[in-house]
Amino acid sequence: SELSRTVQEGGGLFGSARCDQLKGEEPHHALAEAIGQVLRPSIRPELCQQIRLASSPHLPLLVTLVPELSPLLETNSTLGSVGPQEARHRIQVAFASLIRGLASRGRPLVLFLDDLQWSDETSLELLDFLAAEPDLEGLLLIQGSRENRGGLFLGPLELDAICRWTADSFRCQTEQALPLAKVLLQKTGGNPFFIRTLWFRLARERLIYRCEDGSPGWRWDQQAIHTIEISSNLLDTMLQQIQQLPSSTQTCLIAAACCGRSFAASELSQLLSLTVPDILNDLSAAVDHLLISPLEGDCFQFAHDRVQEAAYAQLEPTQRSQYHRLLGRFKVAQLASHPSSPSLFEAIDHLRLSLAMMTDPKERQQFAELCLSAIQRARSAGSFERAFSLAETALEALGPARW
């Protein structure tokens, strides 16, 4: 991204992560993932000594949350058991020490954490603690959330901003762009993603087109755009776009919505019993329609959470449970080789959403045991609310057999 490039070109460090409603994330996952991104693929030699100096006593705890730090851990240590408040404070002090080792005035650390409305309370408390620490020099913590957490509220775009954006995009003067900008504001309410989606539709329907005389720039049919029908509900608009895709692409998107905001073609291959090349071919239409965007490897992410929600809403309850059950089993299989993987929490959330399909008492017992492992991890991370919620899930799975 432009922000990442600017920070790194200036000698700084940049990491980003987002919370996901459908992925049962380990406490502090977003912060740990963003820091892990800074440290990958390997820790810079100049950072190793500084992290050790700042965080040495806390490394055994930090490694459990940020695996990328494991090369710095010289001896294995067992973490002592402490009470809820002490556990929270221990985590907060540990992360603060790590950031002191990473950030400085000459080497700023910028962390962008998005969709924090899906984060757990303990993670939010940690972010508030770090933001209030007076001696964390060089740290810029950018938080994105649908809910205002005391920061800047980003409302819809106003006419002037839409006009300038339109003029820049279509290489024309603001005076020429103004009539189109007024229609865009009327039909989208100033939602940036909605505007971008409408632009794509207008271009696809040839209501916006390149100049045919070979000169630079674009032209549009103002009258036709003014009369075009569009739902004022972004979710409905996304649903309409998905339904215009080939049926095989729709199938992939609907299954992908169960995976979360981001997903891998290899996951869908298992879920739909198709080859990865077939999945990639089917997804290409969704990429062309700007509904998903490619990431590294065979991974993709939905362009907006409303796209994911629209796809997810098309699933019948039984099929939805079946997909979540399969995804949960895939995540459990991954735990065999990576017991400390965040997949534990993802597996539990997927299996929880398919609990009604678990008719075998043995399967429910195994699920409860998974919950117990996650409870222990949540307690170590100081997230006792999450631990309590997991305990309730385990008891629900066991039913009367728990007694």
Side-chain angles (χ1 to χ4, degrees):
S1 70
E2 187 64 33
L3 176 59
S4 170
R5 193 160 45 249
T6 301
V7 171
Q8 291 170 349
E9 287 176 354
L13 305 172
F14 179 85
S16 65
R18 69 190 324 141
C19 301
D20 196 313
Q21 181 184 14
L22 288 181
K23 287 186 176 176
E25 293 174 340
E26 191 163 4
H28 316 305
H29 168 79
L31 179 60
E33 172 63 23
I35 293 176
Q37 191 181 107
V38 171
L39 301 175
R40 290 194 292 265
S42 61
I43 304 176
R44 302 181 192 178
E46 69 271 17
L47 290 179
C48 289
Q49 186 61 25
Q50 294 172 28
I51 293 174
R52 279 200 180 100
L53 287 172
S55 306
S56 183
H58 307 290
L59 280 175
L61 173 59
L62 288 168
V63 166
T64 65
L65 298 165
V66 188
E68 289 81 3
L69 289 170
S70 56
L72 300 183
L73 189 62
E74 296 174 344
T75 59
N76 292 324
S77 304
T78 303
L79 297 172
S81 179
V82 295
Q85 292 304 321
E86 293 85 351
R88 278 194 176 89
H89 184 67
R90 184 167 66 177
I91 288 280
Q92 291 168 353
V93 170
F95 269 105
S97 72
L98 175 58
I99 289 171
R100 288 189 190 95
L102 289 170
S104 66
R105 288 187 178 183
R107 187 185 59 237
L109 171 65
V110 179
L111 300 175
F112 176 41
L113 309 178
D114 202 4
D115 285 337
L116 289 176
Q117 71 272 8
W118 307 126
S119 184
D120 63 285
E121 189 61 35
T122 307
S123 298
L124 297 178
E125 287 179 8
L126 172 59
L127 296 178
D128 290 341
F129 173 84
L130 296 175
E133 275 291 274
D135 64 338
L136 290 183
E137 293 186 341
L139 171 66
L140 175 59
L141 195 57
I142 305 172
Q143 304 178 45
S145 174
R146 285 190 196 172
E147 302 164 1
N148 188 0
R149 298 195 64 240
L152 295 174
F153 174 73
L154 300 179
L157 296 178
E158 296 181 352
L159 178 60
D160 180 61
I162 297 173
C163 186
R164 286 187 280 111
W165 188 16
T166 303
D168 289 343
S169 299
F170 297 111
R171 299 178 184 178
C172 63
Q173 299 298 315
T174 53
E175 294 80 7
Q176 183 184 355
L178 182 59
L180 177 57
K182 287 181 177 179
V183 177
L184 292 171
L185 177 60
Q186 175 192 353
K187 292 187 176 296
T188 67
N191 183 303
F193 180 75
F194 211 162
I195 292 171
R196 184 170 173 266
T197 300
L198 182 54
W199 276 346
F200 182 78
R201 175 183 172 184
L202 296 175
R204 191 174 65 246
E205 296 179 8
R206 295 285 299 166
L207 299 179
I208 292 179
Y209 51 89
R210 288 188 180 276
C211 297
E212 295 177 349
D213 58 5
S215 59
W218 296 72
R219 297 289 182 269
W220 50 83
D221 187 334
Q222 184 75 30
Q223 184 60 36
I225 292 173
H226 186 75
T227 58
I228 194 172
E229 291 187 7
I230 184 170
S231 170
S232 60
N233 185 298
L234 183 54
L235 195 64
D236 290 341
T237 301
M238 294 300 98
L239 185 58
Q240 291 169 8
Q241 285 214 31
I242 292 171
Q243 290 172 341
Q244 292 172 1
L245 296 170
S247 59
S248 59
T249 303
Q250 291 186 48
T251 299
C252 285
L253 279 188
I254 290 169
C258 290
C259 300
R261 179 71 183 268
S262 59
F263 57 93
S266 53
E267 269 186 310
L268 297 185
S269 174
Q270 291 180 295
L271 205 57
L272 299 173
S273 299
L274 296 171
T275 66
V276 170
D278 284 342
I279 295 291
L280 294 174
N281 183 61
D282 290 336
L283 290 176
S284 62
V287 174
D288 292 341
H289 281 69
L290 306 182
L291 295 174
I292 61 175
S293 55
L295 301 174
E296 293 182 4
D298 71 341
C299 295
F300 298 82
Q301 73 175 10
F302 284 96
H304 194 278
D305 53 8
R306 288 289 188 263
V307 181
Q308 180 192 356
E309 289 171 21
Y312 193 72
Q314 294 188 76
L315 274 169
E316 293 293 330
T318 302
Q319 183 65 72
R320 183 181 300 176
S321 295
Q322 182 64 29
Y323 280 159
H324 281 299
R325 189 182 195 188
L326 289 171
L327 286 166
R329 288 176 172 178
F330 298 155
K331 298 297 180 183
V332 170
Q334 292 174 8
L335 293 172
S337 54
H338 299 90
S340 61
S341 166
S343 296
L344 171 63
F345 289 84
E346 291 185 46
I348 288 171
D349 261 35
H350 282 302
L351 293 173
R352 177 181 59 82
L353 292 169
S354 61
L355 198 56
M357 302 187 77
M358 290 189 201
T359 56
D360 184 352
K362 184 178 179 181
E363 185 179 7
R364 284 179 170 260
Q365 176 68 35
Q366 291 170 341
F367 174 65
E369 291 171 359
L370 277 179
C371 289
L372 178 59
S373 298
I375 289 169
Q376 293 165 344
R377 290 258 291 272
R379 284 173 55 87
S380 297
S383 182
F384 286 80
E385 295 86 353
R386 185 70 191 278
F388 182 77
S389 174
L390 288 163
E392 289 185 316
T393 299
L395 290 174
E396 179 188 356
L398 291 173
R402 66 181 182 266
W403 306 114

